[in-house]
Amino acid sequence: MATDEWNGDKRSIEELIADYQPGYSMEQRFYKDPEIYKREIQNIFLKHWVLAGHVSQIPNSGDYFLFEMDKESVIVIRTRDGEVKAHLNVCRHRGSHICLEKEGNAKLLTCPYHAWSFDLDGNLVAARLMGEDFDKSQNGLHPARVELVGGLILVSLSENPPSLEAMRKDLADVFETFGFDKMKLAASKTFPIAANWKLAVENYQECYHCTPSHQEYAKVHALALAPEKFSGLKKDFLETNDGSIRLGESNCYFDLAKPGDEGYQYGRNPLLRGMKSGSLGGEAVAPLLGKIRDYDGGASEFMVGPLSFFLIYNDHMVGYRFVPNAHDRCSCDVFWFVRDDAVEGKDYDLEKLTWLWDITTQSDEEIIVNNQRGVDSHFYQPGRLSEMEHFEQSFLNWYLAALKG
Ligand code: FES
Ligand code: FE
């Protein structure tokens, strides 16, 4: 991109990073410059763990779905041994995508171009007319790293991704209480967003916008309240809670993660008084998760890596994944999870289950796009952050350090 685009600003990315003023939003170029986006691909998207999907999407051998981010397409598949593996959807012959459908079942992964065939483990098993000296064993599909957290499938495109061990150890009781290995995906929805991915993640980091932008959310969640009102409610919540669901926070997210570890965070906050779950009127919408025996008027937040976030109510969990598609567009994929033995139509109603975060994400999409349109203006300049945007500040600190590399 010509420097004219930035009104003659010829600063390097390093200079731009050094010029960031803590306490303020970032300069326009961070949200527009394709050179910065290129560096984000290397330093962020190809390094960290991202939620690809859930084991309940691929119950049988050969079941697969595609996880796509930026230019990358990954085949997440159940092998004959029942394992979950991930292969880059890039043929080792001349590079064609192999799986073209978003999901399906395959006995062999056969490239549509010249019909090289790979087994479910990614080994090349058939390639016509390649001569005696051609070594099939050297031409398997490139693997992506996979880790399961309960039934959640996390994927990393790095050969040496950050470790998830600290998180696994720290949050073992949380995963058990909520029955992370006993959930199923009940619904998912993609919201395409015509904005840089960081505006979407930043928006998710703060609830300063919740009261003006999310009436429905603000009728259920205490986090939308002003800080002094929220602290009073949180104090009461902590004092009256029996602690059977972990209340203590683990803040190892973004700039607080130890070097070599993937960032993660867990915390529990009160809903407004009388609310049980994230739904219309705060009503229960599904059977209680895992080992939970009752509604305690709270909801937990959990995040892992820079793009995957979860909100865990006592009866269901909502996952949000922000996926960059290009420097000027991204998408938010929302996933609704319930316990794995819950029956749709009997134990939960899809419309009631998905209502709150469908309507809330629609308004998020709108405000994020409006944000980008203003940031695109010649008159945009970084603005001061409020005290309700401290998580956003943490994200910005982490982001700038990651971009620097
Ligand atoms: Fe896949 Fe040729 S590109 S077989
Ligand atoms: Fe929002």
Side-chain angles (χ1 to χ4, degrees):
M1 173 135 332
T3 49
D4 302 354
E5 175 84 10
W6 320 117
N7 291 333
D9 174 6
K10 292 191 173 67
R11 282 175 298 168
S12 66
I13 297 177
E14 272 60 36
E15 286 167 324
L16 207 58
I17 293 170
D19 287 347
Y20 170 70
Q21 273 222 46
Y24 285 77
S25 61
M26 296 194 296
E27 289 193 52
Q28 183 190 61
R29 269 178 64 192
F30 288 105
Y31 303 101
K32 291 199 58 145
D33 187 341
E35 288 307 313
I36 290 181
Y37 183 74
K38 269 191 211 157
R39 198 185 290 191
E40 290 169 352
I41 295 172
Q42 292 305 323
N43 289 10
I44 298 174
F45 314 143
L46 297 183
K47 274 200 175 156
H48 285 273
W49 291 99
V50 188
L51 173 70
H54 192 262
V55 293
S56 57
Q57 293 172 267
I58 45 172
N60 303 310
S61 155
D63 286 350
Y64 73 87
F65 64 83
L66 298 185
F67 164 56
E68 296 182 313
M69 174 167 69
D70 185 54
K71 303 275 186 292
E72 306 306 337
S73 175
V74 180
I75 306 164
V76 180
I77 196 161
R78 180 82 68 172
T79 68
R80 282 187 199 286
D81 300 334
E83 260 185 277
V84 175
K85 286 197 172 171
H87 315 300
L88 268 298
N89 191 11
V90 179
C91 183
R92 290 298 306 280
H93 176 219
R94 277 170 46 207
S96 170
H97 271 194
I98 298 164
C99 294
L100 307 181
E101 302 294 328
K102 292 259 177 256
E103 57 186 27
N105 180 280
K107 289 195 170 50
L108 278 178
L109 300 171
T110 300
C111 179
Y113 201 171
H114 314 92
W116 281 24
S117 290
F118 303 85
D119 68 14
L120 305 184
D121 290 290
N123 305 305
L124 179 62
V125 291
R128 294 173 303 123
L129 308 170
M130 292 302 295
E132 299 258 301
D133 63 334
F134 178 67
D135 185 356
K136 288 209 284 283
S137 74
Q138 296 303 306
N139 286 278
L141 294 176
H142 290 299
R145 298 285 301 267
V146 171
E147 287 222 26
L148 300 184
V149 175
L152 300 175
I153 304 171
L154 304 185
V155 162
S156 171
L157 300 179
S158 167
E159 278 177 20
N160 188 21
S163 168
L164 293 167
E165 283 319 299
M167 177 198 76
R168 285 187 189 284
K169 245 180 155 170
D170 182 4
L171 300 187
D173 64 311
V174 170
F175 298 145
E176 198 180 325
T177 306
F178 286 106
F180 265 54
D181 57 349
K182 294 188 182 64
M183 289 188 200
K184 68 173 178 183
L185 183 65
S188 65
K189 188 170 172 181
T190 292
F191 298 79
I193 303 177
N196 181 270
W197 68 280
K198 296 187 291 300
L199 292 180
V201 173
E202 285 177 58
N203 175 65
Y204 194 77
Q205 298 312 308
E206 50 92 357
C207 215
Y208 191 37
H209 73 277
C210 293
T211 300
S213 298
H214 300 312
Q215 282 174 19
E216 300 83 4
Y217 171 92
K219 284 185 183 146
V220 177
H221 281 263
L223 269 175
L225 297 171
E228 65 284 1
K229 276 198 181 155
F230 174 76
S231 332
L233 206 70
K234 178 134 184 181
K235 192 167 165 274
D236 289 354
F237 174 70
L238 294 177
E239 280 168 8
T240 55
N241 197 291
D242 70 2
S244 57
I245 304 173
R246 190 201 295 190
L247 298 167
E249 293 185 3
S250 278
N251 290 326
C252 304
Y253 53 91
F254 294 135
D255 57 336
L256 300 176
K258 290 205 184 81
D261 282 351
E262 184 58 285
Y264 69 95
Q265 189 258 347
Y266 171 82
R268 189 160 181 81
N269 282 307
L271 299 169
L272 291 177
R273 277 188 226 287
M275 302 291 136
K276 291 178 170 171
S277 185
S279 61
L280 181 61
E283 288 298 313
V285 284
L288 289 163
L289 291 174
K291 296 188 164 168
I292 298 171
R293 292 288 157 262
D294 205 354
Y295 292 91
D296 65 342
S300 294
E301 299 101 44
F302 161 56
M303 63 154 271
V304 54
L307 302 173
S308 311
F309 304 85
F310 302 84
L311 182 47
I312 324 172
Y313 300 105
N314 290 24
D315 58 357
H316 71 287
M317 174 163 85
V318 188
Y320 314 84
R321 174 182 69 192
F322 297 99
V323 178
N325 302 127
H327 73 279
D328 56 358
R329 67 199 150 80
C330 64
S331 62
C332 175
D333 301 305
V334 183
F335 302 86
W336 288 267
F337 301 95
V338 294
R339 57 183 297 151
D340 58 6
D341 56 2
V343 179
E344 187 192 334
K346 178 169 160 268
D347 297 319
Y348 65 95
D349 176 287
L350 264 192
E351 213 161 295
K352 286 185 178 162
L353 178 79
T354 58
W355 176 79
L356 179 63
W357 283 98
D358 187 10
I359 201 161
T360 304
T361 311
Q362 284 175 42
S363 43
D364 274 326
E365 182 204 332
E366 214 175 294
I367 57 185
I368 295 163
V369 170
N370 289 337
N371 191 178
Q372 179 76 61
R373 288 154 114 188
V375 166
D376 285 349
S377 161
H378 288 293
F379 296 92
Y380 165 74
Q381 59 189 56
R384 175 91 170 256
L385 300 178
S386 86
E387 60 177 292
M388 282 181 82
E389 291 165 298
H390 58 279
F391 284 110
E392 178 175 349
Q393 180 70 69
S394 174
F395 168 71
L396 296 180
N397 296 343
W398 168 84
Y399 164 76
L400 292 165
L403 189 68
K404 207 167 162 189

